[in-house]
């Protein structure tokens, strides 16, 4: 079992590049876009759809939970995304003390291109897999991710 866990750990660390923004990605004005901005844009994209249409408001606290960071860290990362024109804030219809987060047109473009990049990379990785292998892998990886959301790393047995 220890060997398998070590192999999984190694594989996950080596696959981190799936989420790293390529250094050539920039805004239309030439400002580099870093991984944290891609993560913010992705979080907003994924959070707004489960509850309804694309205009469903998303709040900093939800982004913080999705990214497993503190609200202050999420706020700082959102501020960075706002500064380069990927995200906008409007008054929240649910909570007058909070701001609703929305993707700008540029943020929408980034969300689509980042997902297309990741899916294209994944398609190349599994190009020689059978559809049944891919299905089993997707099922197990989703289960693995779901379990990861239920167990805090600091409380995992050692």
């Amino acid at each position: 079992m220890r060997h398998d866990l070590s192999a999984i750990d190694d594989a996950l660390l080596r696959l981190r590049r799936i989420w790293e923004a390529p250094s050539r990605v920039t805004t239309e004005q030439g400002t580099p876009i870093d991984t944290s901005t891609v993560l913010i844009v992705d979080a907003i994209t994924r959070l707004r759809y489960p509850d309804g249409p694309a205009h469903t408001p998303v709040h900093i606290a939800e982004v913080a939970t999705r990214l497993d960071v503190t609200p202050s860290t999420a706020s700082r990362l959102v501020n960075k995304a706002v500064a380069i024109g990927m995200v906008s804030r409007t008054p929240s219809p649910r909570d007058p003390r909070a701001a609703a987060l929305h993707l700008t047109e540029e943020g929408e473009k980034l969300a689509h291109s980042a997902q297309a990049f990741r899916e294209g990379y994944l398609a190349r990785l599994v190009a020689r897999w059978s559809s049944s292998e891919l299905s089993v892998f997707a099922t197990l990886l989703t289960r693995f991710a779901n379990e990861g959301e239920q167990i805090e790393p600091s409380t995992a047995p050692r």
Side-chain angles (χ1 to χ4, degrees), residues 117-144:
F117 170 81
R118 292 189 310 269
E119 288 179 2
Y121 178 72
L122 291 170
R124 289 191 309 274
L125 285 175
V126 299
R128 293 180 296 210
W129 293 24
S130 71
S131 60
S132 63
E133 288 173 319
L134 186 57
S135 179
V136 167
F137 181 69
T139 299
L140 290 174
L141 189 59
T142 299
R143 180 178 168 192
F144 182 78

Side-chain angles (χ1 to χ4, degrees), residues 5-72:
L5 294 175
S6 180
I8 292 168
D9 178 59
D10 178 61
L12 290 172
L13 288 172
R14 288 185 295 130
L15 286 172
R16 74 188 183 284
R17 69 176 168 261
I18 292 173
W19 274 101
E20 292 176 357
S23 58
R24 65 188 180 278
V25 176
T26 62
T27 64
E28 288 184 355
Q29 295 76 31
T31 305
I33 299 171
D34 62 21
T35 303
S36 66
T37 299
V38 174
L39 292 173
I40 291 294
V41 166
D42 183 73
I44 293 170
T45 300
R46 292 177 191 272
L47 286 165
R48 67 185 177 180
Y49 289 112
D51 298 324
H55 64 273
T56 301
V58 174
H59 298 91
I60 296 266
E62 296 163 318
V63 170
T65 299
R66 173 83 188 178
L67 297 180
D68 197 22
V69 298
T70 64
S72 63

Side-chain angles (χ1 to χ4, degrees), residues 46-121:
R46 292 177 191 272
L47 286 165
R48 67 185 177 180
Y49 289 112
D51 298 324
H55 64 273
T56 301
V58 174
H59 298 91
I60 296 266
E62 296 163 318
V63 170
T65 299
R66 173 83 188 178
L67 297 180
D68 197 22
V69 298
T70 64
S72 63
T73 297
S75 182
R76 183 174 40 80
L77 296 175
V78 166
N79 287 344
K80 199 160 122 178
V82 168
I84 64 168
M86 298 294 139
V87 175
S88 66
R89 286 187 178 97
T90 60
S92 172
R94 291 193 320 222
D95 182 353
R97 300 165 296 162
L101 305 174
H102 306 276
L103 296 183
T104 62
E105 187 176 325
E106 282 301 305
E108 293 285 351
K109 289 179 189 174
L110 175 60
H112 293 295
S113 65
Q115 184 166 0
F117 170 81
R118 292 189 310 269
E119 288 179 2
Y121 178 72

